[in-house]
């Protein structure tokens, strides 16, 4: 487990370990001393453990994240009983020895009781320690490695746009057209305002891999559009295994208007720069999330956007190519809700879309559909005059 003890991960291990002590019996030890862990309390029994999962603060949207590590002391099986203080069981347990490749715990090993407030997991013990988590762990250092890999393939600028409450860098990736154009057109992609929303994060990374790929379409796209991506907007929440909020207990996707938090302020500063330059125009904003189904929350069709009808054209083009992939286009007229979507649409009049992936959407299907959504996004935007 040595690889956790570097940089941000070390800080995380220290902060998280303060939340819950490791606990053990004759069969295994359970701990939460790693980035992304959430195990609020742990009581060992003879052959079982009762793990309590609390949110970071309340009230809170019910996305009960949990993640702990099991270190076997002998072979056999244990029951881990998860008790939620504030929500019902939502995420199907995933298991991994290395924190990279994950498998779902078989349904026959999961028993929900008390309407999902209590869930018993039967875990088979081998010889290796393994993680049990609500979704795959996609951590700050995973993003660092991913950014490095993408930036090695095509020319990109990687820079911090600010710092989180706890001082972690908020990294942006930018691609700038090689030949300067009189009108600068920007697209903005962001993700992980909400830490447990890993499926949305997986989609975002696959989406950006297409936009930043070395294909003729992506090259044409980047020759015209400035692309700015902020894939990890709530690094503190991810490190601390939060259900939804940043370290100040604020839902970042309700802070687009108040702008009380450094994470949202950092992105606002980018938008301010675009707005301040008479030759610059924002053309599109996509904000990646997860929910219980695949859905795009968009402007109402009757609300004008510039470019006009982008969303209808984009989603129709993608749907033609995605016969087996279910997704919903949910119109959500501009409301008082202070989300990134509403803020960006109100300020710029551009298509501003919350791109939601289902918690349980098949991971290969996420990737396959995202390729299409990314390609059709580029084709559709390139179809408008500069
Ligand atoms: Zn969300």
């Amino acid at each position: 487990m040595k690889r956790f003890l570097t940089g941000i991960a070390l800080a995380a291990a220290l902060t998280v370990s303060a939340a819950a002590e490791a606990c053990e019996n004759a069969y295994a030890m359970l701990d939460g001393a790693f980035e992304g862990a959430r195990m609020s309390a742990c009581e060992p029994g003879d052959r079982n453990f009762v793990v309590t999962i609390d949110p970071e603060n309340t009230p809170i949207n019910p996305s009960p994240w949990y993640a702990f590590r099991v270190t076997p002391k002998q072979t056999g099986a244990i029951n881990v009983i998860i008790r939620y203080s504030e929500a019902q069981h939502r995420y199907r347990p995933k298991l991994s020895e290395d924190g990279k490749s994950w498998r779902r715990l078989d349904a026959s090993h999961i028993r929900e009781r008390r309407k999902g407030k209590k869930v018993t997991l039967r875990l088979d013990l081998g010889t290796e320690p393994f993680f049990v988590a609500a979704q795959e762990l996609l951590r700050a250092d995973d993003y660092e490695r991913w950014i490095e890999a993408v930036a090695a393939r095509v020319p990109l600028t990687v820079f911090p746009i600010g710092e989180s409450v706890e001082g972690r860098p908020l990294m942006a990736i930018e691609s700038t057209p090689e030949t300067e154009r009189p009108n600068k057109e920007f697209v903005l992609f962001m993700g992980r305002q909400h830490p447990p929303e890993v499926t949305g994060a997986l989609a975002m990374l696959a989406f950006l891999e297409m936009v930043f790929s070395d294909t003729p379409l992506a090259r044409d796209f980047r020759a015209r559009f400035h692309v700015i991506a902020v894939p990890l907007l709530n690094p503190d929440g991810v490190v601390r295994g939060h259900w939804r909020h940043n370290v100040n207990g604020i839902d970042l996707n309700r802070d687009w208007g108040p702008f009380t938090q450094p994470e949202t302020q950092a992105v606002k500063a980018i938008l301010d720069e675009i707005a301040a330059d008479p030759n610059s125009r924002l053309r599109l904003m996509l904000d990646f999330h997860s929910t219980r189904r695949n859905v795009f929350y968009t402007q109402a069709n009757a609300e004008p956007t510039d470019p006009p009808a982008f969303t209808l054209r984009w989603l129709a083009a993608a749907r033609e190519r995605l016969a087996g992939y279910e997704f919903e286009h949910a119109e959500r007229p501009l409301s008082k809700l202070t989300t990134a979507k509403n803020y960006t649409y109100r300020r710029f009049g551009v298509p501003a879309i919350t791109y939601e992936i289902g918690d349980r959407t098949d991971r290969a299907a996420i990737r396959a559909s995202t390729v299409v959504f990314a390609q059709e996004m580029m084709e559709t935007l390139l179809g408008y005059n500069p």
Side-chain angles (χ1 to χ4, degrees), residues 17-232:
S17 61
E21 294 289 324
C23 68
E24 59 189 308
N25 60 21
Y27 286 87
M29 179 181 80
L30 265 59
D31 80 285
F34 57 92
E35 185 182 321
R38 174 140 298 250
M39 180 175 78
S40 311
C42 176
E43 295 162 39
D46 285 349
R47 203 163 178 159
N48 62 49
F49 294 88
V50 178
V51 166
T52 306
I53 303 294
D54 295 328
E56 55 273 21
N57 64 308
T58 57
I60 194 162
N61 182 291
S63 337
W65 177 261
Y66 56 87
F68 51 87
R69 178 169 40 203
V70 179
T71 303
K73 293 163 106 177
Q74 54 176 295
T75 52
I78 54 169
N79 284 332
V80 173
I81 300 143
I82 296 181
R83 285 195 320 209
Y84 298 104
S85 59
E86 290 288 330
Q88 296 172 332
H89 185 60
R90 170 167 169 183
Y91 301 108
R92 287 183 185 170
K94 319 285 183 303
L95 309 181
S96 173
E97 277 76 30
D98 61 3
K100 301 283 166 236
S101 59
W102 294 84
R103 61 192 181 276
R104 282 207 339 233
L105 181 62
D106 192 85
S108 65
H109 288 223
I110 306 167
R111 197 153 45 98
E112 285 189 37
R113 282 176 297 171
R114 291 185 41 223
K115 293 180 178 170
K117 297 280 278 182
K118 197 169 171 182
V119 182
T120 301
L121 314 181
R122 184 177 167 79
L123 301 174
D124 295 321
L125 303 176
T127 51
E128 288 287 305
F130 58 97
F131 297 101
V132 179
Q135 297 283 31
E136 302 89 325
L137 291 171
L138 185 61
R139 296 170 289 200
D141 54 340
D142 295 319
Y143 282 88
E144 275 173 38
R145 275 197 295 276
W146 178 86
I147 289 174
E148 269 173 38
V150 173
R153 290 199 291 267
V154 294
L156 298 172
T157 317
V158 180
F159 56 99
I161 56 167
E163 283 185 352
S164 66
V165 175
E166 292 190 312
R168 293 186 176 86
L170 303 168
M171 299 308 293
I173 312 165
E174 181 169 17
S175 148
T176 306
E178 258 175 55
T179 313
E180 206 173 317
R181 307 165 72 99
N183 292 318
K184 295 185 200 166
E185 299 176 278
F186 287 82
V187 292
L188 174 65
F189 306 128
M190 63 176 132
R192 214 80 192 270
Q193 295 196 72
H194 297 144
E197 299 183 4
V198 172
T199 55
L202 294 173
M204 182 178 195
L205 298 189
F207 192 94
L208 293 177
E209 282 168 22
M210 288 308 296
V211 172
F212 294 135
S213 66
D214 199 18
T215 61
L217 173 61
R219 281 199 300 270
D220 284 352
F221 186 75
R222 296 196 307 275
R224 175 170 159 190
F225 294 95
H226 295 249
V227 181
I228 303 179
V230 186
L232 176 56

